[in-house]
Amino acid sequence: MFADHTLIAEDGVGLASRVWCPDGTGPWPCLLMRQPYGRAIASTVTLPHPQWWCRHGFMVLVQDVRGQGDSGGVFEGFSQEARDTATTLEWIRNHPDCNGRIGLYGFSYQGLTQLLAPEDCPPPDCMAPAMCGLDERTHWSCEGGAHWWHLGLGWGLQLAALQARRRGDQSAWVEIRESLENGRYLRDGLDLLERHDPDGMALRWLTLPADQTDGWTQHHSPRSWLRRPLLLLGGWWDPHLRGVLDLAERSRAAGGSPELHIGPATHLQWWPQSSALLLNFFRRHLQESAAAEGPEVLKLWDQGSDRWVDLPWTLATPPTADTVGWHLASDGLACLDPNDGRLLKSPEGAGGTVTVVHDPWRPVPAVGGHLSPSAGPCDRSSIDQRSDVALFTSAPLQNSLVLNGRPVLQCQASADQPGFDLSVTLSRLPAGSTTTQQLSTGLLRVLGDRTRQSEERCVELQPMLASFQAGDRLRLSIAGAAWPAVGVNPGSPDYPCAAPHPGCRVISIALHLETARLQMESFLMLHNGGTPAD
């Protein structure tokens, strides 16, 4: 059973909250989630229902954030949450059914609400923020100088529809919903946001420059909170993975000992054991009489072997270049002949020029990965067969190999128009198979007249861990679009990067391979000039 309560904030705004309690007599430790999607849902898209937590001895409070659901006030996004988090924690600590021990949980928006609080606010006993980050630009809305198009519009319109329902505007709700169902949001999404949620956080993100820091907000969590026990959950195919990694770094720099698990997960589809992982964490820190700080835990899912790997935090040590670097070579037919483009371990024989032609009428689609509508693992063989995708494939590996880190491509590139994109994918070609297992994707957007000059371009891909067996091959794929993960680059300053439109130009992108290099960089480094942990 549950009971609804209204917490009164300092400014008089009522925060609608729902409390579930275990059977019997308390008090109990409390789990808190603050979210904008309606407290009845309680993030059950990925997390157990509050009644499940009650059966394990936890009181649960799920709250509609300010301006959402049945809470009062105006919804202003992340910036409003710090003070309301403090108000809610104080209310819970004074609740007769709570024994004073509190854990915070939730993912995405409700992951970030766990981390935002005034500096003087006493921290909870533990937190489990999943799939979130503190930087609104790099962790929530942009990559490689481009806005997340499908994700940014889709999430913004979801929030806009919630606001339309809140004010009783059924026609706006239906219009938004239909655009998401028929796909027209990819073309009309900005207009819908401007009409139905003009002051919303999502529209502000989509109208700020993606390649600059001016105007963007980077939030901060109190250092005392980051020193508390943290369970950080991320997914290889989740767009907020970089935010989770940043949180791990910040916690360690603050003196914390976080647990970090990166699993085979998209934003909305997690691995089955994640619920038990959360339960064990909260039992240790909220129910055991003297929860001791354990050693830092780093568990990563190996995409190659399909199993969990326990790694030491010395992963932060950059791998040596001779074990994780490849050079690119082509005789000019890497877009037409899958045997022409080559990944070489030695610079000897590297070089050549490949021209990738981007046709906005048929932009290369984004599949799988962390940003596309079909996020997750995938076989990208059909995409790599297109003539507007340049392929560079290694010889069969002589020995087994583990790639662990962030793939980075450095390549001299230019274009014949004042704007182009580089969409880059790293894949595994298993021995004896015709599949192309996509492992990691990344994008770089280049705008302005300097696109015509041959300059070194750096493309950072999604962090990854994958083991390769002898006989497997690596493949690097390079295209001029990743639609609709990001908007199509029109190749002209006169038009926005958005859905394909008549003003978009055909763009010829020249890849100059003499100095091109693919390498793996560490994705777990300490802040403040620290050295890797021993």
Side-chain angles (χ1 to χ4, degrees):
M1 296 295 292
F2 63 82
D4 284 330
H5 302 268
T6 299
L7 285 63
I8 304 302
E10 291 181 349
D11 58 358
V13 169
L15 303 176
S17 307
R18 181 163 293 179
V19 176
W20 288 262
C21 286
D23 294 333
T25 303
W28 305 276
C30 182
L31 299 180
L32 168 64
M33 176 193 299
R34 302 185 56 251
Q35 51 77 58
Y37 306 112
R39 62 193 183 280
I41 297 174
S43 287
T44 49
V45 65
T46 60
L47 295 165
H49 191 275
Q51 291 177 340
W52 183 83
W53 293 105
C54 287
R55 290 197 295 272
H56 290 282
F58 295 96
M59 167 188 172
V60 180
L61 187 149
V62 180
Q63 182 182 92
D64 294 336
V65 300
R66 177 182 296 251
Q68 292 285 13
D70 294 323
S71 288
V74 177
F75 180 64
E76 297 179 348
F78 296 152
S79 61
Q80 70 183 27
E81 302 302 346
R83 178 54 60 184
D84 289 345
T85 293
T87 297
T88 306
L89 286 176
E90 181 180 5
W91 187 89
I92 294 173
R93 289 189 174 104
N94 293 320
H95 195 285
D97 289 328
C98 178
N99 65 7
R101 305 185 78 173
I102 303 173
L104 309 187
Y105 80 117
F107 83 114
S108 198
Y109 193 104
Q110 44 272 33
L112 187 57
T113 57
Q114 299 176 51
L115 298 160
L116 303 183
E119 286 291 335
D120 60 352
C121 179
D125 293 273
C126 59
M127 295 179 286
M131 299 182 178
C132 62
L134 293 170
D135 191 314
E136 292 188 5
R137 182 173 72 96
T138 60
H139 300 158
W140 287 93
S141 56
C142 302
E143 182 169 324
H147 292 98
W148 299 348
W149 193 248
H150 149 72
L151 288 173
L153 289 173
W155 185 57
L157 289 171
Q158 180 185 6
L159 293 175
L162 290 170
Q163 288 294 303
R165 184 174 64 181
R166 180 179 169 88
R167 63 177 181 266
D169 190 343
Q170 295 186 11
S171 62
W173 190 96
V174 170
E175 184 180 17
I176 292 170
R177 180 65 193 183
E178 288 181 345
S179 76
L180 292 167
E181 292 174 345
N182 61 29
R184 288 199 61 84
Y185 74 100
L186 295 172
R187 184 169 300 279
D188 302 335
L190 279 178
D191 176 66
L192 290 171
L193 289 174
E194 289 170 352
R195 289 193 288 113
H196 299 307
D197 196 13
D199 299 321
M201 183 169 59
L203 181 61
R204 178 173 63 83
W205 289 352
L206 287 163
T207 53
L208 284 171
D211 59 342
Q212 303 173 25
T213 59
D214 292 348
W216 290 93
T217 301
Q218 183 167 161
H219 300 277
H220 299 277
S221 187
R223 288 178 63 86
S224 62
W225 287 51
L226 294 175
R227 287 194 293 268
R228 288 295 193 180
L230 279 181
L231 173 59
L232 301 172
L233 301 184
W236 292 129
W237 311 299
D238 176 65
H240 309 290
L241 177 57
R242 300 181 192 208
V244 172
L245 296 173
D246 179 71
L247 286 172
E249 295 175 5
R250 290 174 182 271
S251 174
R252 298 185 78 206
S257 301
E259 294 185 37
L260 173 62
H261 299 249
I262 305 176
T266 67
H267 196 57
L268 299 180
Q269 186 69 50
W270 295 9
W271 60 98
Q273 298 79 16
S274 59
S275 296
L277 176 65
L278 286 161
L279 177 61
N280 290 335
F281 174 78
F282 287 126
R283 276 177 167 168
R284 291 199 311 274
H285 296 289
L286 298 179
Q287 290 181 334
E288 296 180 4
S289 57
E293 284 291 329
E296 294 172 315
V297 175
L298 176 60
K299 290 182 178 289
L300 307 180
W301 179 263
D302 186 331
Q303 296 184 58
S305 64
D306 288 336
R307 63 183 181 89
W308 287 97
V309 177
D310 295 350
L311 292 174
W313 281 91
T314 49
L315 178 67
T317 304
T320 56
D322 60 343
T323 61
V324 290
W326 291 269
H327 304 268
L328 280 64
S330 172
D331 295 325
L333 295 178
C335 291
L336 297 171
D337 183 352
N339 297 314
D340 177 80
R342 303 174 299 282
L343 284 180
L344 306 174
K345 289 299 296 178
S346 168
E348 183 177 353
T353 299
V354 176
T355 301
V356 177
V357 179
H358 159 66
D359 180 357
W361 182 258
R362 53 186 301 271
V364 174
V367 295
H370 63 292
L371 293 180
S372 83
S374 58
C378 72
D379 176 3
R380 62 171 289 118
S381 299
S382 62
I383 303 299
D384 281 354
Q385 293 173 6
R386 293 175 56 120
S387 62
D388 49 1
V389 179
L391 305 181
F392 302 89
T393 308
S394 74
L397 297 176
Q398 297 299 308
N399 302 294
S400 60
L401 173 70
V402 176
L403 296 186
N404 190 356
R406 178 186 293 117
V408 176
L409 173 66
Q410 294 176 312
C411 181
Q412 295 277 331
S414 60
D416 63 347
Q417 303 295 336
F420 69 91
D421 287 355
L422 291 177
S423 174
V424 179
T425 303
L426 184 62
S427 304
R428 168 176 170 256
L429 279 61
S433 173
T434 59
T435 63
T436 303
Q437 180 192 6
Q438 180 172 284
L439 299 173
S440 176
T441 61
L443 182 124
L444 176 68
R445 172 154 292 162
V446 185
L447 300 171
D449 290 334
R450 293 185 65 182
T451 60
R452 301 179 187 272
Q453 304 174 24
S454 179
E455 296 183 1
E456 184 173 277
R457 319 293 179 175
C458 181
V459 187
E460 293 187 359
L461 282 68
Q462 180 86 333
M464 57 168 281
L465 167 64
S467 59
F468 292 70
Q469 302 303 314
D472 292 350
R473 293 178 292 160
L474 283 76
R475 170 171 288 173
L476 189 73
S477 309
I478 305 177
W483 170 255
V486 298
V488 172
N489 194 322
S492 168
D494 298 328
Y495 302 98
C497 299
H501 52 82
C504 290
R505 301 175 181 177
V506 173
I507 306 172
S508 293
I509 306 167
L511 306 175
H512 309 284
L513 308 179
E514 284 72 17
T515 60
R517 181 174 173 81
L518 171 69
Q519 58 191 20
M520 300 293 294
E521 294 185 353
S522 171
F523 56 75
L524 290 172
M525 299 295 291
L526 291 176
H527 280 287
N528 303 324
T531 57
D534 293 331

